[in-house]
Amino acid sequence: MVKDKEEMPKVPSAHARPDDFIGIFLFFHTDVPQHQKGIAMRIRNNISYEKLKKIILTGVFTALSYVCLLLIRVPDIAGFLTLDVKDAVVTLGAMFLGPVAAVMISLLVSLIELITVSGTGFWGFLMNFLGTAVFSVLASLLYKYKKTLFGGIIGLAVGTVGMIIVMMLSNLFITPIYLE
């Protein structure tokens, strides 16, 4: 039974995005009636361009952070600390993408560091993640509500104070476990 053109759903024009295999299958499969292909387009359009852009930028900032971790690293400050420039890249990503992305970038970079170059194991991963996440989340939260140079500077200052407090507490409780 063939429907009139007026009864068939309109297929919105969109760029092809490989985000849903079911939608792609329904759209390109030849045995699917034309009126059901509109369903495929609606399924494919569920993920917005902005969400996709945020996911891609999170990956880019994660990769940049890891490259900075590998290339710009000053080891053995005070015997066991290292200076990592990756925190600056994570915070820059947090300023662009928000606090949730800051947590994700911090988690991913710390996890990749744990797997590849870290010598401190799980406890080093935990403290690294806590320090980076607290600093970048606090800085991005304040910058999110006051998007000016002053808001950025205040965000970085509050992030620094927050990171100092969290790292003092984690050194008080986590470092004794690590040293055992």
Side-chain angles (χ1 to χ4, degrees), residues 122-161:
F122 174 75
W123 301 112
F125 158 77
L126 181 62
M127 291 182 71
N128 189 0
F129 168 69
L130 285 174
T132 304
V134 166
F135 176 68
S136 58
V137 166
L138 288 176
S140 69
L141 273 174
L142 288 169
Y143 182 71
K144 182 179 179 180
Y145 294 110
K146 186 148 179 90
K147 290 196 176 215
T148 61
L149 178 63
F150 182 72
I153 291 171
I154 294 298
L156 290 172
V158 169
T160 302
V161 171

mmCIF file of all heavy atoms in Angstrom, residues 122-161:
data_model
loop_
_atom_site.group_PDB
_atom_site.id
_atom_site.type_symbol
_atom_site.label_atom_id
_atom_site.label_comp_id
_atom_site.label_asym_id
_atom_site.label_seq_id
_atom_site.Cartn_x
_atom_site.Cartn_y
_atom_site.Cartn_z
ATOM 1 N N PHE A 122 48.125 3.206 42.521
ATOM 2 C CA PHE A 122 46.759 3.702 42.710
ATOM 3 C C PHE A 122 46.704 4.947 43.578
ATOM 4 O O PHE A 122 45.935 5.871 43.302
ATOM 5 C CB PHE A 122 45.891 2.592 43.330
ATOM 6 C CG PHE A 122 44.516 3.083 43.688
ATOM 7 C CD1 PHE A 122 43.571 3.300 42.711
ATOM 8 C CD2 PHE A 122 44.188 3.351 45.011
ATOM 9 C CE1 PHE A 122 42.306 3.775 43.030
ATOM 10 C CE2 PHE A 122 42.927 3.818 45.348
ATOM 11 C CZ PHE A 122 41.986 4.029 44.353
ATOM 12 N N TRP A 123 47.521 5.005 44.629
ATOM 13 C CA TRP A 123 47.455 6.147 45.539
ATOM 14 C C TRP A 123 47.936 7.428 44.867
ATOM 15 O O TRP A 123 47.388 8.509 45.092
ATOM 16 C CB TRP A 123 48.239 5.860 46.819
ATOM 17 C CG TRP A 123 47.707 4.652 47.512
ATOM 18 C CD1 TRP A 123 48.333 3.447 47.659
ATOM 19 C CD2 TRP A 123 46.417 4.514 48.107
ATOM 20 N NE1 TRP A 123 47.508 2.574 48.320
ATOM 21 C CE2 TRP A 123 46.315 3.198 48.610
ATOM 22 C CE3 TRP A 123 45.328 5.358 48.269
ATOM 23 C CZ2 TRP A 123 45.202 2.716 49.256
ATOM 24 C CZ3 TRP A 123 44.194 4.875 48.920
ATOM 25 C CH2 TRP A 123 44.147 3.576 49.401
ATOM 26 N N GLY A 124 48.950 7.309 44.031
ATOM 27 C CA GLY A 124 49.398 8.460 43.256
ATOM 28 C C GLY A 124 48.342 8.911 42.257
ATOM 29 O O GLY A 124 48.130 10.107 42.052
ATOM 30 N N PHE A 125 47.678 7.931 41.642
ATOM 31 C CA PHE A 125 46.576 8.249 40.730
ATOM 32 C C PHE A 125 45.470 9.001 41.455
ATOM 33 O O PHE A 125 44.954 10.011 40.959
ATOM 34 C CB PHE A 125 46.021 6.953 40.119
ATOM 35 C CG PHE A 125 44.614 7.069 39.608
ATOM 36 C CD1 PHE A 125 44.341 7.699 38.404
ATOM 37 C CD2 PHE A 125 43.559 6.539 40.334
ATOM 38 C CE1 PHE A 125 43.050 7.812 37.934
ATOM 39 C CE2 PHE A 125 42.263 6.647 39.880
ATOM 40 C CZ PHE A 125 42.005 7.282 38.667
ATOM 41 N N LEU A 126 45.108 8.518 42.638
ATOM 42 C CA LEU A 126 44.023 9.140 43.397
ATOM 43 C C LEU A 126 44.374 10.581 43.782
ATOM 44 O O LEU A 126 43.563 11.499 43.589
ATOM 45 C CB LEU A 126 43.722 8.313 44.647
ATOM 46 C CG LEU A 126 42.594 8.808 45.533
ATOM 47 C CD1 LEU A 126 41.276 8.802 44.766
ATOM 48 C CD2 LEU A 126 42.492 7.959 46.781
ATOM 49 N N MET A 127 45.581 10.784 44.284
ATOM 50 C CA MET A 127 45.976 12.141 44.692
ATOM 51 C C MET A 127 46.146 13.057 43.481
ATOM 52 O O MET A 127 45.784 14.237 43.530
ATOM 53 C CB MET A 127 47.241 12.087 45.534
ATOM 54 C CG MET A 127 46.985 11.443 46.886
ATOM 55 S SD MET A 127 48.412 11.396 47.945
ATOM 56 C CE MET A 127 48.575 13.103 48.374
ATOM 57 N N ASN A 128 46.664 12.530 42.394
ATOM 58 C CA ASN A 128 46.812 13.301 41.167
ATOM 59 C C ASN A 128 45.434 13.737 40.651
ATOM 60 O O ASN A 128 45.233 14.899 40.288
ATOM 61 C CB ASN A 128 47.528 12.447 40.127
ATOM 62 C CG ASN A 128 47.912 13.210 38.899
ATOM 63 O OD1 ASN A 128 47.672 14.399 38.768
ATOM 64 N ND2 ASN A 128 48.530 12.514 37.975
ATOM 65 N N PHE A 129 44.494 12.814 40.628
ATOM 66 C CA PHE A 129 43.140 13.123 40.170
ATOM 67 C C PHE A 129 42.473 14.151 41.078
ATOM 68 O O PHE A 129 41.866 15.108 40.603
ATOM 69 C CB PHE A 129 42.297 11.847 40.092
ATOM 70 C CG PHE A 129 40.832 12.121 39.897
ATOM 71 C CD1 PHE A 129 40.367 12.650 38.705
ATOM 72 C CD2 PHE A 129 39.929 11.874 40.911
ATOM 73 C CE1 PHE A 129 39.019 12.919 38.524
ATOM 74 C CE2 PHE A 129 38.585 12.137 40.742
ATOM 75 C CZ PHE A 129 38.127 12.664 39.538
ATOM 76 N N LEU A 130 42.587 13.946 42.394
ATOM 77 C CA LEU A 130 41.956 14.885 43.329
ATOM 78 C C LEU A 130 42.495 16.299 43.167
ATOM 79 O O LEU A 130 41.732 17.270 43.098
ATOM 80 C CB LEU A 130 42.156 14.416 44.771
ATOM 81 C CG LEU A 130 41.310 13.242 45.237
ATOM 82 C CD1 LEU A 130 41.729 12.822 46.638
ATOM 83 C CD2 LEU A 130 39.842 13.598 45.206
ATOM 84 N N GLY A 131 43.808 16.429 43.101
ATOM 85 C CA GLY A 131 44.412 17.752 42.979
ATOM 86 C C GLY A 131 44.023 18.449 41.684
ATOM 87 O O GLY A 131 43.607 19.616 41.685
ATOM 88 N N THR A 132 44.140 17.743 40.575
ATOM 89 C CA THR A 132 43.817 18.341 39.277
ATOM 90 C C THR A 132 42.331 18.653 39.171
ATOM 91 O O THR A 132 41.949 19.726 38.691
ATOM 92 C CB THR A 132 44.241 17.395 38.145
ATOM 93 O OG1 THR A 132 45.628 17.093 38.282
ATOM 94 C CG2 THR A 132 44.017 18.015 36.791
ATOM 95 N N ALA A 133 41.486 17.734 39.603
ATOM 96 C CA ALA A 133 40.039 17.932 39.483
ATOM 97 C C ALA A 133 39.557 19.095 40.342
ATOM 98 O O ALA A 133 38.774 19.930 39.880
ATOM 99 C CB ALA A 133 39.300 16.646 39.849
ATOM 100 N N VAL A 134 40.026 19.173 41.583
ATOM 101 C CA VAL A 134 39.576 20.253 42.463
ATOM 102 C C VAL A 134 40.009 21.606 41.905
ATOM 103 O O VAL A 134 39.215 22.554 41.842
ATOM 104 C CB VAL A 134 40.104 20.043 43.905
ATOM 105 C CG1 VAL A 134 39.957 21.291 44.734
ATOM 106 C CG2 VAL A 134 39.372 18.892 44.558
ATOM 107 N N PHE A 135 41.257 21.705 41.477
ATOM 108 C CA PHE A 135 41.758 22.969 40.934
ATOM 109 C C PHE A 135 40.954 23.398 39.703
ATOM 110 O O PHE A 135 40.461 24.524 39.622
ATOM 111 C CB PHE A 135 43.239 22.831 40.590
ATOM 112 C CG PHE A 135 43.826 24.038 39.933
ATOM 113 C CD1 PHE A 135 43.984 25.215 40.638
ATOM 114 C CD2 PHE A 135 44.220 24.002 38.615
ATOM 115 C CE1 PHE A 135 44.528 26.347 40.042
ATOM 116 C CE2 PHE A 135 44.764 25.114 38.009
ATOM 117 C CZ PHE A 135 44.916 26.290 38.723
ATOM 118 N N SER A 136 40.805 22.493 38.743
ATOM 119 C CA SER A 136 40.150 22.872 37.489
ATOM 120 C C SER A 136 38.643 23.062 37.649
ATOM 121 O O SER A 136 38.063 23.945 37.015
ATOM 122 C CB SER A 136 40.454 21.847 36.399
ATOM 123 O OG SER A 136 40.036 20.568 36.784
ATOM 124 N N VAL A 137 37.996 22.266 38.496
ATOM 125 C CA VAL A 137 36.549 22.420 38.698
ATOM 126 C C VAL A 137 36.231 23.746 39.387
ATOM 127 O O VAL A 137 35.316 24.471 38.962
ATOM 128 C CB VAL A 137 35.970 21.220 39.490
ATOM 129 C CG1 VAL A 137 34.580 21.518 39.997
ATOM 130 C CG2 VAL A 137 35.950 19.983 38.617
ATOM 131 N N LEU A 138 36.977 24.075 40.442
ATOM 132 C CA LEU A 138 36.714 25.344 41.127
ATOM 133 C C LEU A 138 36.988 26.537 40.219
ATOM 134 O O LEU A 138 36.207 27.501 40.185
ATOM 135 C CB LEU A 138 37.551 25.441 42.405
ATOM 136 C CG LEU A 138 37.115 24.540 43.554
ATOM 137 C CD1 LEU A 138 38.083 24.651 44.722
ATOM 138 C CD2 LEU A 138 35.704 24.878 43.988
ATOM 139 N N ALA A 139 38.077 26.481 39.472
ATOM 140 C CA ALA A 139 38.396 27.583 38.556
ATOM 141 C C ALA A 139 37.319 27.729 37.486
ATOM 142 O O ALA A 139 36.877 28.842 37.180
ATOM 143 C CB ALA A 139 39.765 27.352 37.921
ATOM 144 N N SER A 140 36.856 26.616 36.926
ATOM 145 C CA SER A 140 35.856 26.704 35.855
ATOM 146 C C SER A 140 34.475 27.081 36.379
ATOM 147 O O SER A 140 33.714 27.752 35.678
ATOM 148 C CB SER A 140 35.785 25.386 35.086
ATOM 149 O OG SER A 140 35.242 24.367 35.880
ATOM 150 N N LEU A 141 34.144 26.660 37.595
ATOM 151 C CA LEU A 141 32.850 27.052 38.166
ATOM 152 C C LEU A 141 32.757 28.561 38.348
ATOM 153 O O LEU A 141 31.748 29.186 37.995
ATOM 154 C CB LEU A 141 32.626 26.361 39.509
ATOM 155 C CG LEU A 141 31.996 24.984 39.477
ATOM 156 C CD1 LEU A 141 31.976 24.378 40.870
ATOM 157 C CD2 LEU A 141 30.614 25.026 38.888
ATOM 158 N N LEU A 142 33.803 29.152 38.903
ATOM 159 C CA LEU A 142 33.775 30.600 39.090
ATOM 160 C C LEU A 142 33.838 31.337 37.759
ATOM 161 O O LEU A 142 33.177 32.353 37.579
ATOM 162 C CB LEU A 142 34.900 31.039 40.015
ATOM 163 C CG LEU A 142 34.651 30.637 41.466
ATOM 164 C CD1 LEU A 142 35.885 30.853 42.302
ATOM 165 C CD2 LEU A 142 33.498 31.427 42.026
ATOM 166 N N TYR A 143 34.598 30.824 36.815
ATOM 167 C CA TYR A 143 34.680 31.457 35.503
ATOM 168 C C TYR A 143 33.364 31.313 34.731
ATOM 169 O O TYR A 143 33.006 32.191 33.941
ATOM 170 C CB TYR A 143 35.832 30.863 34.699
ATOM 171 C CG TYR A 143 36.012 31.509 33.353
ATOM 172 C CD1 TYR A 143 36.502 32.806 33.240
ATOM 173 C CD2 TYR A 143 35.692 30.836 32.185
ATOM 174 C CE1 TYR A 143 36.663 33.409 32.008
ATOM 175 C CE2 TYR A 143 35.842 31.424 30.953
ATOM 176 C CZ TYR A 143 36.326 32.720 30.871
ATOM 177 O OH TYR A 143 36.477 33.311 29.646
ATOM 178 N N LYS A 144 32.652 30.240 34.986
ATOM 179 C CA LYS A 144 31.368 30.007 34.303
ATOM 180 C C LYS A 144 30.355 31.106 34.643
ATOM 181 O O LYS A 144 29.552 31.498 33.800
ATOM 182 C CB LYS A 144 30.821 28.637 34.721
ATOM 183 C CG LYS A 144 29.528 28.242 34.069
ATOM 184 C CD LYS A 144 29.108 26.865 34.533
ATOM 185 C CE LYS A 144 27.800 26.464 33.905
ATOM 186 N NZ LYS A 144 27.375 25.136 34.354
ATOM 187 N N TYR A 145 30.392 31.593 35.872
ATOM 188 C CA TYR A 145 29.419 32.591 36.298
ATOM 189 C C TYR A 145 29.902 34.025 36.101
ATOM 190 O O TYR A 145 29.107 34.954 36.143
ATOM 191 C CB TYR A 145 29.021 32.347 37.750
ATOM 192 C CG TYR A 145 28.271 31.053 37.879
ATOM 193 C CD1 TYR A 145 28.841 29.952 38.510
ATOM 194 C CD2 TYR A 145 27.013 30.905 37.327
ATOM 195 C CE1 TYR A 145 28.157 28.754 38.595
ATOM 196 C CE2 TYR A 145 26.328 29.705 37.413
ATOM 197 C CZ TYR A 145 26.904 28.640 38.053
ATOM 198 O OH TYR A 145 26.231 27.454 38.122
ATOM 199 N N LYS A 146 31.201 34.214 35.914
ATOM 200 C CA LYS A 146 31.734 35.555 35.652
ATOM 201 C C LYS A 146 32.796 35.425 34.575
ATOM 202 O O LYS A 146 33.981 35.262 34.865
ATOM 203 C CB LYS A 146 32.310 36.151 36.926
ATOM 204 C CG LYS A 146 32.741 37.591 36.773
ATOM 205 C CD LYS A 146 32.549 38.335 38.067
ATOM 206 C CE LYS A 146 32.997 39.767 37.925
ATOM 207 N NZ LYS A 146 31.933 40.627 37.483
ATOM 208 N N LYS A 147 32.362 35.476 33.318
ATOM 209 C CA LYS A 147 33.264 35.241 32.186
ATOM 210 C C LYS A 147 34.023 36.507 31.810
ATOM 211 O O LYS A 147 33.834 37.059 30.736
ATOM 212 C CB LYS A 147 32.486 34.702 31.002
ATOM 213 C CG LYS A 147 31.993 33.309 31.222
ATOM 214 C CD LYS A 147 31.582 32.683 29.937
ATOM 215 C CE LYS A 147 31.187 31.255 30.232
ATOM 216 N NZ LYS A 147 31.515 30.345 29.228
ATOM 217 N N THR A 148 34.865 36.947 32.718
ATOM 218 C CA THR A 148 35.743 38.088 32.476
ATOM 219 C C THR A 148 37.146 37.698 32.914
ATOM 220 O O THR A 148 37.356 36.633 33.504
ATOM 221 C CB THR A 148 35.284 39.328 33.274
ATOM 222 O OG1 THR A 148 35.330 39.013 34.676
ATOM 223 C CG2 THR A 148 33.870 39.752 32.886
ATOM 224 N N LEU A 149 38.091 38.562 32.636
ATOM 225 C CA LEU A 149 39.462 38.310 33.089
ATOM 226 C C LEU A 149 39.505 38.240 34.612
ATOM 227 O O LEU A 149 40.164 37.365 35.186
ATOM 228 C CB LEU A 149 40.399 39.405 32.570
ATOM 229 C CG LEU A 149 41.857 39.299 33.004
ATOM 230 C CD1 LEU A 149 42.481 38.023 32.463
ATOM 231 C CD2 LEU A 149 42.633 40.519 32.547
ATOM 232 N N PHE A 150 38.787 39.144 35.258
ATOM 233 C CA PHE A 150 38.735 39.146 36.725
ATOM 234 C C PHE A 150 38.127 37.836 37.245
ATOM 235 O O PHE A 150 38.623 37.253 38.214
ATOM 236 C CB PHE A 150 37.928 40.348 37.217
ATOM 237 C CG PHE A 150 37.857 40.448 38.703
ATOM 238 C CD1 PHE A 150 38.966 40.812 39.452
ATOM 239 C CD2 PHE A 150 36.677 40.161 39.372
ATOM 240 C CE1 PHE A 150 38.903 40.896 40.834
ATOM 241 C CE2 PHE A 150 36.603 40.242 40.750
ATOM 242 C CZ PHE A 150 37.725 40.613 41.479
ATOM 243 N N GLY A 151 37.061 37.361 36.592
ATOM 244 C CA GLY A 151 36.449 36.089 36.989
ATOM 245 C C GLY A 151 37.407 34.922 36.827
ATOM 246 O O GLY A 151 37.435 34.007 37.646
ATOM 247 N N GLY A 152 38.205 34.957 35.746
ATOM 248 C CA GLY A 152 39.197 33.901 35.536
ATOM 249 C C GLY A 152 40.290 33.918 36.589
ATOM 250 O O GLY A 152 40.692 32.874 37.100
ATOM 251 N N ILE A 153 40.751 35.109 36.936
ATOM 252 C CA ILE A 153 41.811 35.231 37.950
ATOM 253 C C ILE A 153 41.291 34.799 39.316
ATOM 254 O O ILE A 153 41.971 34.059 40.040
ATOM 255 C CB ILE A 153 42.359 36.668 37.981
ATOM 256 C CG1 ILE A 153 43.124 36.944 36.692
ATOM 257 C CG2 ILE A 153 43.254 36.893 39.192
ATOM 258 C CD1 ILE A 153 43.531 38.382 36.501
ATOM 259 N N ILE A 154 40.089 35.239 39.665
ATOM 260 C CA ILE A 154 39.497 34.821 40.944
ATOM 261 C C ILE A 154 39.274 33.310 40.950
ATOM 262 O O ILE A 154 39.537 32.631 41.956
ATOM 263 C CB ILE A 154 38.169 35.576 41.207
ATOM 264 C CG1 ILE A 154 38.439 37.065 41.407
ATOM 265 C CG2 ILE A 154 37.416 34.998 42.385
ATOM 266 C CD1 ILE A 154 39.312 37.379 42.599
ATOM 267 N N GLY A 155 38.816 32.763 39.831
ATOM 268 C CA GLY A 155 38.624 31.312 39.731
ATOM 269 C C GLY A 155 39.915 30.550 39.937
ATOM 270 O O GLY A 155 39.956 29.539 40.651
ATOM 271 N N LEU A 156 40.995 31.028 39.330
ATOM 272 C CA LEU A 156 42.290 30.365 39.498
ATOM 273 C C LEU A 156 42.793 30.480 40.935
ATOM 274 O O LEU A 156 43.365 29.527 41.475
ATOM 275 C CB LEU A 156 43.309 30.956 38.521
ATOM 276 C CG LEU A 156 43.068 30.624 37.047
ATOM 277 C CD1 LEU A 156 44.025 31.419 36.169
ATOM 278 C CD2 LEU A 156 43.200 29.141 36.789
ATOM 279 N N ALA A 157 42.565 31.634 41.560
ATOM 280 C CA ALA A 157 42.992 31.811 42.958
ATOM 281 C C ALA A 157 42.209 30.890 43.888
ATOM 282 O O ALA A 157 42.788 30.223 44.763
ATOM 283 C CB ALA A 157 42.812 33.267 43.379
ATOM 284 N N VAL A 158 40.890 30.824 43.692
ATOM 285 C CA VAL A 158 40.071 29.936 44.529
ATOM 286 C C VAL A 158 40.420 28.475 44.248
ATOM 287 O O VAL A 158 40.483 27.650 45.174
ATOM 288 C CB VAL A 158 38.564 30.215 44.293
ATOM 289 C CG1 VAL A 158 37.701 29.158 44.937
ATOM 290 C CG2 VAL A 158 38.192 31.589 44.818
ATOM 291 N N GLY A 159 40.688 28.146 42.986
ATOM 292 C CA GLY A 159 41.115 26.785 42.649
ATOM 293 C C GLY A 159 42.418 26.413 43.321
ATOM 294 O O GLY A 159 42.585 25.281 43.795
ATOM 295 N N THR A 160 43.344 27.353 43.378
ATOM 296 C CA THR A 160 44.630 27.103 44.040
ATOM 297 C C THR A 160 44.434 26.857 45.531
ATOM 298 O O THR A 160 44.996 25.897 46.090
ATOM 299 C CB THR A 160 45.578 28.302 43.822
ATOM 300 O OG1 THR A 160 45.759 28.496 42.421
ATOM 301 C CG2 THR A 160 46.914 28.059 44.488
ATOM 302 N N VAL A 161 43.634 27.691 46.178
ATOM 303 C CA VAL A 161 43.371 27.511 47.611
ATOM 304 C C VAL A 161 42.652 26.182 47.858
ATOM 305 O O VAL A 161 43.001 25.433 48.781
ATOM 306 C CB VAL A 161 42.559 28.701 48.175
ATOM 307 C CG1 VAL A 161 42.083 28.433 49.587
ATOM 308 C CG2 VAL A 161 43.383 29.973 48.124
#
